[in-house]
Amino acid sequence: MQQQDEVAARVRQVIDAAGVSAREFARRIVIDPSKLSRSLNGIRRFTAAELARIADIGAVDVGWLLGSAAGAAADTDAAGLTAAGAAVTASPVRSPSAPRPPEPSPEGGRPLQIVRETVRLIAERGFHAVRVADIAAACHTSTAAIHYHFPGRDELLEAAVRWCMDEDTRRRADATAGTRHAGDELRLLIELQTPRTEQQRRQWCVWLDLWAEAARSTTVGRLHVEYYRQWRGTVADVIRRGVEQGVFRPVDADGAALALTALIDGLASQVLATEPGGQDDGVPGTGAQAMHDALTAHVDACLTAPTAD
């Protein structure tokens, strides 16, 4: 228990040195913020892979986080990390004030690079067609390095889902920041969910793949439920504010949000199925613009308050 508390204290030092909140640090190491909180409070142990990612982001050694290089090697071996990962932990111990010597590092650190490339490959090929060797090649590193940060495919998939959730939430927040008119904000959210651009289509391809995986994986299923709870809550809050502003009719905000988000999902899946390469593919009414028009028409017909003559 004492060692667990010491590890938590060192992780806190890394977070303080990074100058970010615990929630933001959790995003950077791609774990659930509640897991980080429980580990920092001694309720839960950090996994070896989480310590590896913390060390990477904080530019410290896993050995220092654990209190000794020897202890780090023993712990990582016990957790089933690769020999390459264990070798990393056996390097000289350094604190956050004594970072590693400069070396080429991908933007955001190796863990985030791995997750971003995993998401890109899932969008292109589907999760089950992506091998660890493909991810390693995309990151210009070894499969041992991938397993060091994410020992198994399940953990890698969970990290990819969480990263997609965080990115989607961040993009929505950035796009709607400062928007006071609820009607304008709801239309902005619809625009963000319409797969017009290559980036939007790639994002939707990942979500479609993850929906299928959520039906088979308890962990991904929980993340799926969490994401949709947050997403529907965001839409409901906008509708509720619109009712207060007199922009929308006095509707049940939660029910209206459920209907609108379900409509978005259904139309987006049709667009992706019939609009390869961003084209209508000769099928009337199935393109991104048709989807956008249908969603705005739904808002106008079911939500927008009638204007006084």
Side-chain angles (χ1 to χ4, degrees), residues 210-224:
L210 295 179
W211 285 349
E213 198 62 28
R216 305 181 185 94
S217 166
T218 302
T219 298
V220 177
R222 284 198 299 266
L223 288 171
H224 184 268

Side-chain angles (χ1 to χ4, degrees), residues 72-102:
D75 195 282
T76 52
D77 283 342
L81 292 181
T82 63
V88 172
T89 66
S91 55
V93 178
R94 300 181 181 90
S95 70
S97 60
R100 295 170 181 154

Side-chain angles (χ1 to χ4, degrees), residues 83-226:
V88 172
T89 66
S91 55
V93 178
R94 300 181 181 90
S95 70
S97 60
R100 295 170 181 154
E103 60 182 29
S105 178
E107 182 183 356
R110 182 67 73 189
L112 276 181
Q113 182 199 31
I114 292 170
V115 171
R116 283 194 296 262
E117 290 300 326
T118 300
V119 169
R120 181 181 66 80
L121 290 170
I122 290 174
E124 292 177 359
R125 309 177 191 180
F127 177 71
H128 289 288
V130 177
R131 303 171 305 161
V132 173
D134 299 326
I135 300 168
C139 295
H140 304 289
T141 189
S142 65
T143 57
I146 305 298
H147 287 304
Y148 176 60
H149 293 291
F150 302 97
R153 282 174 62 88
D154 287 346
E155 187 173 358
L156 188 52
L157 176 60
E158 180 181 350
V161 175
R162 184 161 295 286
W163 185 83
C164 286
M165 289 169 53
D166 289 344
E167 284 297 292
D168 197 43
T169 302
R170 181 186 60 78
R171 277 193 293 268
R172 289 201 303 266
D174 289 347
T176 59
T179 306
R180 297 182 179 276
H181 189 280
D184 292 343
E185 184 169 351
L186 190 60
R187 284 170 173 77
L188 272 174
L189 292 176
I190 288 173
E191 185 66 37
L192 287 173
Q193 296 299 316
T194 304
R196 298 182 191 275
T197 68
E198 182 180 348
Q199 187 275 332
Q200 287 172 318
R201 289 181 61 82
R202 185 166 57 244
Q203 178 184 351
W204 270 107
C205 284
V206 172
W207 282 124
L208 290 178
D209 212 60
L210 295 179
W211 285 349
E213 198 62 28
R216 305 181 185 94
S217 166
T218 302
T219 298
V220 177
R222 284 198 299 266
L223 288 171
H224 184 268
V225 170
E226 177 187 341

